[in-house]
Amino acid sequence: MPRRSTVRFVPMPRFGRTRSIAVATLVLLAACGPPNTGPDVEFRIPVEAAEVATGTVEDLVQATGTLRTREIVSLTIETPGHLQVGRDADGRRLAEGSVVEAGQVVFRVTGEDARLHARIESTKRSLDVAEAQLKRQRDLFDAQLVAEEAVQQAERDYENALYEYERSSLNAAKATKTTPISGTILRLARDANNLPVADGQLVAAGFQVAEIAPLDTLIADVDLMGPELARVQPGLPARIGHYAFPDASLTGEVVRLSPVLDPVKHTFRAEVAVANDSGLLRPGMFVEVTVVVEQRADVSVVPREAVTDRSGRSVVFILDGQRVSRRDVRLGLGDDDKVEVLDGLALGDRIVVRGLETLTDGTRVRVIGA
C-alpha cells in the first residue's frame, strides 16, 4: 500500500512571535513618517547688469527718399542743321559725365540749312541798303528836294531791315549753344531710341541735345506723415545712408516743406539738401534719411532693454547685493538702443539689462556675464 506523508504543525515559541510583530510595527511607522529632504536651496535668477552712464541721445525722424538734382538745364536745337558736339579743354569730345563750366560751348549746328535759316547775309545787305536810302532821303530833305513823308518812309524801311537783321543774328547765335550753369552732363546727343547721335548728323529744330545739372548738392524728396511733420522744420540737420556705402558719412539739411498735402499718399513732402562733394551719390538713388529733431549730450542714459513696463509705468531694477530693487523712472529722449533717464536713477547705479522679465522687488538674482 502506498505511504502517506504527514505534516506536523510545530508551534512557534511565544517570544519569537512577539519579536516579529515589533519589527513589523517599526517598519510601518518608518514608512508613514516625513521624508528626509536635506537642507533647503534658494533659487537665484540669472541676470546681466550695466552701470548708469552719461551719453548723447537724439529725437529722430527716419524716412526714405529719392535723390534728384536741385536744378537742371535742357539744351535743344533751335536751328536745323548738322550737329557738332563741343570739346573740352583737352580737345576731347564732350560726353555724358563731363563737367562743364557756365558759358562753355556744348554744341554747334553747322551746314547750309543753318545758314539759310539764319539768312544773316541777306538781311545784312538789306539793312545796308535801307541805311543808305535813309541817309539819302535826309540829305534831300535838308536840301528841300523831297517832302518829309519820304524821310519818314525811309525811316520805317530802315527799322524793318534792322529788325530782320537782328532776328537773323539771333538765329545765327542759336546755332551755337552754351550752358548757362556749371554742372555735369547727364544726357548728351541721344535719339528717340536712346542711341548716341554722331557728329555731322542732320538734326531738326526741337531735338534735345543735352541735359546739364550740378551734382555737388542733391535733393532727397521725403514723404512725412502728419505727426512727423509737426516735428520737422527747415534747417534741421539730417544723416543720409545708402546700402552701397555703409561706412560713408553723408550729411544733409531740411531746406523746404511742401505747403500742400499729397491727395493720393496723404503725406507731406520734405526736401532735404544732401552734400555730395565726394561724388558717391547719383540722381535717382533711393536713400535713407534720418532727421535729427533734437540732440542732448552728457545726460544720464541706460540701455533701452533695461526699461520695462509695469502697470503703465516705466520701471528698472537696480542691484542691491544679491537682490534687486524696483525703481520707477521718468524717461526723456531716446532711440532703439538707449534712452535718457530724467529721474529715478543716479550715475554709477548698477541696473539689470537682461533677464528682468520675471523680476519683482526683492527678487534674489545672480549676475552673469561681464
Side-chain angles (χ1 to χ4, degrees):
M1 338 179 22
R3 297 180 59 184
R4 289 183 180 177
S5 60
T6 61
V7 178
R8 291 184 302 173
F9 175 76
V10 180
M12 182 178 292
R14 187 173 183 86
F15 71 90
R17 291 201 302 270
T18 303
R19 184 177 181 183
S20 298
I21 293 172
V23 171
T25 301
L26 292 174
V27 171
L28 182 60
L29 291 174
C32 295
N36 185 10
T37 58
D40 293 338
V41 177
E42 184 177 7
F43 178 72
R44 293 187 297 167
I45 297 177
V47 297
E48 293 185 19
E51 289 188 356
V52 179
T54 59
T56 300
V57 290
E58 299 172 322
D59 180 18
L60 306 176
V61 171
Q62 295 180 320
T64 56
T66 303
L67 294 176
R68 62 172 174 82
T69 60
R70 69 176 187 269
E71 59 182 351
I72 191 168
V73 169
S74 297
L75 301 180
T76 59
I77 295 291
E78 297 184 56
T79 300
H82 298 278
L83 178 66
Q84 294 291 333
V85 175
R87 280 4 186 210
D88 60 16
D90 297 326
R92 295 172 297 191
R93 185 180 189 266
L94 295 177
E96 292 172 352
S98 296
V99 178
V100 293
E101 300 295 332
Q104 182 175 341
V105 175
V106 178
F107 68 88
R108 293 183 175 86
V109 177
T110 62
E112 189 65 17
D113 290 341
R115 188 185 67 80
L116 292 176
H117 183 268
R119 298 188 308 114
I120 193 167
E121 293 89 352
S122 62
T123 56
K124 181 63 170 65
R125 287 195 298 269
S126 297
L127 178 63
D128 293 341
V129 170
E131 184 178 10
Q133 183 65 16
L134 175 60
K135 183 177 182 303
R136 176 178 172 80
Q137 293 298 324
R138 285 175 175 171
D139 292 341
L140 293 175
F141 177 75
D142 291 341
Q144 299 182 353
L145 297 176
V146 296
E148 185 178 0
E149 289 78 3
V151 177
Q152 293 175 348
Q153 181 62 45
E155 290 176 345
R156 288 193 293 270
D157 293 341
Y158 174 78
E159 292 294 336
N160 291 335
L162 180 61
Y163 168 77
E164 292 295 332
Y165 174 72
E166 289 178 347
R167 189 171 67 171
S168 296
S169 300
L170 181 60
N171 288 335
K174 290 178 180 178
T176 300
K177 277 286 186 177
T178 61
T179 172
I181 65 172
S182 299
T184 301
I185 298 177
L186 306 182
R187 179 183 173 90
L188 180 65
R190 290 185 178 271
D191 61 15
N193 298 318
N194 204 34
L195 298 176
V197 174
D199 282 351
Q201 184 167 334
L202 183 64
V203 289
F207 176 73
Q208 186 183 72
V209 179
E211 289 184 345
I212 301 171
L215 300 182
D216 56 332
T217 300
L218 299 177
I219 300 296
D221 290 324
V222 177
D223 291 329
L224 300 177
M225 305 298 290
E228 296 172 341
L229 179 67
R231 299 160 59 196
V232 176
Q233 299 295 330
L236 291 178
R239 303 188 189 103
I240 312 301
H242 191 275
Y243 69 91
F245 314 107
D247 299 327
S249 178
L250 304 172
T251 59
E253 179 183 341
V254 180
V255 293
R256 191 175 297 106
L257 295 177
S258 174
V260 297
L261 174 73
D262 188 309
V264 177
K265 299 180 181 179
H266 298 285
T267 57
F268 290 90
R269 173 64 54 86
E271 297 181 9
V272 179
V274 181
N276 190 36
D277 297 334
S278 59
L280 296 178
L281 302 178
R282 297 289 188 275
M285 278 185 170
F286 194 69
V287 294
E288 296 179 351
V289 179
T290 301
V291 179
V292 183
V293 178
E294 185 179 355
Q295 185 182 81
R296 298 177 187 171
D298 298 327
V299 296
S300 297
V301 297
V302 297
R304 172 68 74 175
E305 57 191 346
V307 182
T308 184
D309 184 88
R310 300 290 171 88
S311 301
R313 295 183 176 181
S314 297
V315 172
V316 300
F317 289 92
I318 185 172
L319 290 175
D320 185 9
Q322 294 185 350
R323 297 181 183 274
V324 293
S325 298
R326 168 176 162 163
R327 294 282 184 87
D328 293 344
V329 293
R330 188 163 57 93
L331 304 179
L333 296 182
D335 52 31
D336 293 337
D337 298 324
K338 58 183 178 297
V339 61
E340 177 189 12
V341 178
L342 300 176
D343 188 27
L345 294 176
L347 289 177
D349 285 345
R350 297 191 69 202
I351 58 174
V352 177
V353 295
R354 288 187 180 89
L356 67 162
E357 293 80 6
T358 60
L359 297 183
T360 59
D361 192 30
T363 301
R364 289 178 62 88
V365 296
R366 175 170 53 92
V367 179
I368 62 175

